[in-house]
Amino acid sequence: MESFPADFQWATSSESFKVEGGWSEGGKGETIWDRFGHEGLASVNQTADLACDSFHKVDYDVYLLRGLHVNNYQFSISWARIFPSGHRGSQSEKGAVYYDKLINALIESGIQPVVTLYHWDLPQALQDYGGWTNTSIVEAFKDYADFCFSRFGDRVKTWNTFSSPWVVSHAGYGTGKHPPGVKDYVVASYQVTHNLLKSHAEAWHVYNDKYRMKQGGKVGIALNSDWAEPMDPSRPEDIAAADRYLQFMLGWFAHPIFVDGDYPATLKTQVEEKRRECPHSEPARLPVFTSEERKRIHGTADFLGLNHYTSRLVNKSDGGCTPGIQGVGDLQAHVDPSWSSTASDWIYSAPWGLRRLLNYISAEYLNVTKVPIHITGNGMPTEHSGDTFNDTSRIEYMRSYINEALKAIHLDGVNVQQFTVQSLMDGFEGPQGYSKRFGLHHVNFDLPDRPRTPKQSAYFYSQVIEKNEKKILLICPCHLVL
């Protein structure tokens, strides 16, 4: 029976490659997701060439945002639209003007832009030289971030350097299910994380040294993580396995930034044990930070962004010499059959996991730094069907997860300052193409002008925001349940 704080930030989001389209317009360079689609690797050979055509529909999208009553709009910049080759020498002014137009339109509508510098769409030109496995990318990302801060920072006050970097390491360079399609969970995946962390730190220091005093903004990182619940809470080995799951997903990035500049002791110990167990088939090779690099990385976030969608039940299991989180971590992850399923084979609704994860993050990473948590992504997909309005399953998912965030704030004292629903509209979902729909607004991809219409969940979310702002608490399943 509580409301969110008066200054709580309500947001929705999009990602550049999922919605922008205009894949080769305005001088934009090819990205790894463009290449992925053009090679026919998405569902039924779909591409993001046009996507939602947001490149030409800034006013349309901002109109939808105004209807939601959100405070913030979180979107990502396409690195290749700014620097087609990945480097400053190739700068596209038309690309920068597009983001100027979007940012200005948001501010004119009373909506604050929250900008992610990198959400997966690496310039293909950089991937041709190894992408995130090449240490030279650290300097390239630093220069790209510097340009963005300089160009847009007078209006943008909240920055995410990366969104879900674990997915880049895991799916892009580990399993190879995402572009660039590298299947190397022994070396490449760990080296990618190493370079992502150093890139994040350099971007933060650029802002801190050159722009913070004048612009007064904040720079953080949006990390994705499931909650890991022990399969049998009475078994110490399952409790330890659940902790390893969290360390291999969240701690891999959060521990260096928020604790001491280095990887978690549990992760390092587990990798070293596996190397001893498997001298002829090394399952993981974890790079080592120098003392200077550790100092450079530690403390480089003004908030901790969290992308959270689901939970797992975890038990101890001998992973042998198999690469990957479950093999190296000696664990197995499961879902409870009672949890509500979604159109995704990896998202199951377990809202209580969000509250437990928020408390875990607060205790594990923020007990010293005290920076706030921003929930930078939460949502679920539905199957594409003829019904463009009725998405009651999404409403129930949103209601339940928003409830758990409220409990964490009021009952547990966790400092959560933002909730972001993914996504503003349906978009190109990578390997699933347009078959999975995350949007609060339906997009008709069969028509060239890509019309958008609000779903039932859009009305629900706008009511949550509006009624919270008015401090009106209702107990009604069709409105607001808190």
Side-chain angles (χ1 to χ4, degrees):
M1 294 300 295
E2 296 287 350
S3 58
F4 284 85
D7 59 351
F8 194 77
Q9 298 299 296
W10 299 97
T12 188
S13 65
S14 70
E15 294 80 42
S16 52
F17 79 89
K18 294 185 180 184
V19 302
E20 283 182 3
W23 82 275
S24 62
E25 293 188 53
K28 176 181 169 294
E30 184 186 22
T31 74
I32 56 175
W33 282 97
D34 294 326
R35 178 71 60 88
F36 178 85
H38 295 157
E39 292 181 347
L41 298 176
S43 175
V44 295
N45 296 319
Q46 291 172 333
T47 75
D49 288 2
L50 184 57
C52 303
D53 198 25
S54 286
F55 183 65
H56 297 108
K57 296 184 180 300
V58 167
D59 293 337
Y60 196 167
D61 291 348
V62 174
Y63 168 76
L64 299 179
L65 289 162
R66 289 200 301 269
L68 290 175
H69 304 293
V70 291
N71 312 108
N72 296 345
Y73 179 47
Q74 178 179 285
F75 64 92
S76 66
I77 290 176
S78 173
W79 189 343
R81 196 176 293 285
I82 298 290
F83 295 170
S85 74
H87 297 288
R88 190 184 288 259
S90 65
Q91 180 195 334
S92 167
E93 179 61 19
K94 289 182 179 179
V97 166
Y98 164 68
Y99 294 110
D100 277 330
K101 182 179 179 181
L102 174 57
I103 291 166
N104 291 342
L106 290 169
I107 292 173
E108 288 169 6
S109 294
I111 301 166
Q112 292 303 308
V114 176
V115 174
T116 299
L117 291 173
Y118 185 81
H119 194 116
W120 306 357
D121 52 347
L122 186 71
Q124 181 63 42
L126 293 179
Q127 181 55 41
D128 292 341
Y129 290 93
W132 290 107
T133 64
N134 189 328
T135 56
S136 67
I137 202 169
V138 176
E139 191 63 28
F141 183 77
K142 175 184 176 181
D143 197 36
Y144 160 62
D146 189 359
F147 174 85
C148 289
F149 296 148
S150 174
R151 176 71 178 239
F152 311 117
D154 60 328
R155 292 151 290 160
V156 176
K157 302 306 176 185
T158 306
W159 300 87
N160 298 304
T161 54
F162 294 93
S163 183
S164 296
W166 181 87
V167 179
V168 177
S169 301
H170 168 76
Y173 294 83
T175 66
K177 292 182 178 180
H178 283 191
V182 176
K183 299 179 181 180
D184 182 4
Y185 226 131
V186 177
V187 178
S189 181
Y190 292 92
Q191 185 60 50
V192 165
T193 295
H194 212 62
N195 289 335
L196 286 168
L197 283 164
K198 290 194 286 186
S199 298
H200 160 79
E202 290 307 312
W204 186 90
H205 282 292
V206 164
Y207 191 85
N208 196 54
D209 295 344
K210 294 179 64 175
Y211 302 104
R212 184 184 301 275
M213 184 173 293
K214 182 177 180 180
Q215 296 181 357
K218 295 181 178 180
V219 178
I221 186 169
L223 304 177
N224 66 290
S225 184
D226 308 334
W227 170 247
E229 184 77 7
M231 177 73 82
D232 184 346
S234 69
R235 298 183 68 210
E237 55 267 45
D238 284 3
I239 295 173
D243 180 69
R244 288 196 299 276
Y245 186 99
L246 290 169
Q247 297 296 347
F248 271 77
M249 180 175 273
L250 179 61
W252 198 8
F253 291 89
H255 196 277
I257 295 170
F258 295 96
V259 179
D260 62 8
D262 201 1
Y263 296 117
T266 298
L267 190 154
K268 292 195 294 183
T269 299
Q270 191 72 15
V271 169
E272 189 57 35
E273 287 180 359
K274 285 294 179 179
R275 292 187 67 184
R276 289 196 298 268
E277 290 176 18
C278 309
H280 304 297
S281 56
E282 181 183 26
R285 189 178 305 164
L286 188 65
V288 177
F289 290 117
T290 66
S291 59
E292 182 58 37
E293 287 171 339
R294 290 196 297 271
K295 292 176 183 176
R296 193 76 174 161
I297 293 169
H298 179 222
T300 54
D302 304 315
F303 58 87
L304 188 154
L306 174 64
N307 297 335
H308 173 76
Y309 308 92
T310 194
S311 294
R312 291 291 183 266
L313 301 176
V314 180
N315 66 288
K316 167 72 168 67
S317 177
D318 186 358
C321 297
T322 305
I325 183 173
Q326 298 199 53
V328 178
D330 282 333
L331 58 89
Q332 286 290 327
H334 314 266
V335 297
D336 191 311
S338 69
W339 297 349
S340 298
S341 62
T342 71
S344 168
D345 59 3
W346 65 273
I347 297 180
Y348 290 78
S349 181
W352 48 266
L354 174 58
R355 181 182 176 187
R356 297 185 188 189
L357 182 58
L358 290 171
N359 276 276
Y360 174 88
I361 288 171
S362 184
E364 185 84 358
Y365 305 117
L366 309 181
N367 59 343
V368 175
T369 61
K370 304 296 184 184
V371 300
I373 298 171
H374 293 181
I375 297 174
T376 44
N378 176 256
M380 58 155 278
T382 56
E383 294 285 358
H384 176 46
S385 69
D387 191 341
T388 63
F389 179 74
N390 184 353
D391 60 347
T392 53
S393 60
R394 178 176 288 109
I395 291 174
E396 177 58 25
Y397 180 97
M398 291 167 59
R399 183 196 66 79
S400 300
Y401 275 87
I402 292 171
N403 245 344
E404 294 300 318
L406 184 61
K407 292 177 187 176
I409 293 170
H410 277 286
L411 300 181
D412 309 325
V414 180
N415 186 11
V416 181
Q417 295 186 351
Q418 176 180 304
F419 195 101
T420 307
V421 171
Q422 181 181 333
S423 302
L424 171 63
M425 58 191 143
D426 299 331
F428 179 77
E429 294 297 332
Q432 291 78 38
Y434 300 103
S435 65
K436 301 294 185 284
R437 304 298 185 106
F438 273 90
L440 294 170
H441 294 84
H442 173 267
V443 179
N444 188 336
F445 295 104
D446 295 327
L447 296 178
D449 60 343
R450 300 306 204 244
R452 299 99 150 96
T453 55
K455 302 176 187 177
Q456 196 173 3
S457 57
Y459 292 101
F460 169 80
Y461 191 41
S462 68
Q463 289 170 351
V464 169
I465 299 169
E466 187 176 23
K467 292 184 183 302
N468 188 78
E469 289 175 348
K470 293 179 178 178
K471 304 298 181 184
I472 298 173
L473 302 178
L474 301 178
I475 300 299
C476 172
C478 59
H479 290 90
L480 174 62
V481 181
L482 293 178

